[in-house]
């Protein structure tokens, strides 16, 4: 059982811009950030863990920020951006390297502040859906009448 180190360098806040056939990342801050993982397998670095660690590094509340994660793959021509939306795409990002074994810089787009009201409404809708499915199940089984 061997632990390996994985370093991820990222730009926080910026946007993609098209230049000819290629896309490029335009950072709002010139600083490059880094986070470090020590794991037995790259599969342990999940989408939620990656976002959680970025939020911790940047000192932001993950419940009030919406972040988009993306990168420009070194191995794709013309240069296009790719968003990371799930665990599988995190793994692809971590394992995509060029001939010199260099990976891409992770781009973190800070979309906007989420309003607490929106989060509460979202939870309410989920609660309503679970109540509806429970009531439906009770009606089908003859209980709850």
């Amino acid at each position: 059982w061997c632990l390996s180190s994985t370093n991820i360098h990222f730009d926080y806040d910026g946007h993609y811009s098209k230049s000819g056939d290629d896309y490029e990342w335009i950072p709002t801050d010139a600083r490059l950030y880094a986070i470090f993982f020590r794991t037995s397998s790259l599969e342990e670095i999940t989408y939620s863990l990656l976002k959680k660690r970025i939020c911790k590094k940047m000192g932001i509340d993950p419940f009030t920020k919406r972040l988009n994660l993306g990168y420009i793959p070194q191995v794709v021509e013309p240069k296009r951006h790719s968003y990371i939306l799930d665990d599988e795409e995190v793994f692809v990002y971590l394992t995509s390297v060029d001939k010199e074994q260099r990976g891409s810089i992770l781009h973190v787009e800070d979309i906007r502040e989420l309003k607490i009201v929106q989060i509460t409404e979202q939870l309410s809708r989920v609660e309503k859906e679970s109540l509806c499915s429970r009531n439906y199940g009770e009606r089908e089984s003859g209980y709850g009448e």
Side-chain angles (χ1 to χ4, degrees), residues 76-89:
V76 176
E77 289 292 334
K79 299 283 184 215
R80 296 183 302 179
H81 65 281
S82 177
Y83 284 108
I84 297 172
L85 303 172
D86 58 27
D87 294 348
E88 183 177 26
E89 290 173 348

Side-chain angles (χ1 to χ4, degrees), residues 95-125:
T95 57
S96 296
V97 294
D98 66 7
K99 292 177 208 144
E100 285 82 36
Q101 299 298 304
R102 292 180 301 193
S104 301
I105 299 294
L106 182 66
H107 303 137
V108 180
E109 289 178 287
D110 184 342
I111 301 304
R112 66 178 190 276
E113 292 275 342
L114 293 175
K115 295 200 182 327
I116 299 302
V117 174
Q118 290 175 328
I119 293 170
T120 305
E121 287 173 1
Q122 239 177 353
L123 291 175
S124 297
R125 190 171 61 245

Side-chain angles (χ1 to χ4, degrees), residues 26-50:
I26 311 296
T28 55
D29 181 2
R31 180 167 179 205
L32 193 61
Y33 299 89
I35 50 179
F36 167 81
F37 294 90
R38 183 176 294 282
T39 60
S40 58
S41 164
L42 286 178
E43 283 102 355
E44 291 178 32
I45 303 172
T46 62
Y47 179 73
S48 58
L49 178 61
L50 181 56

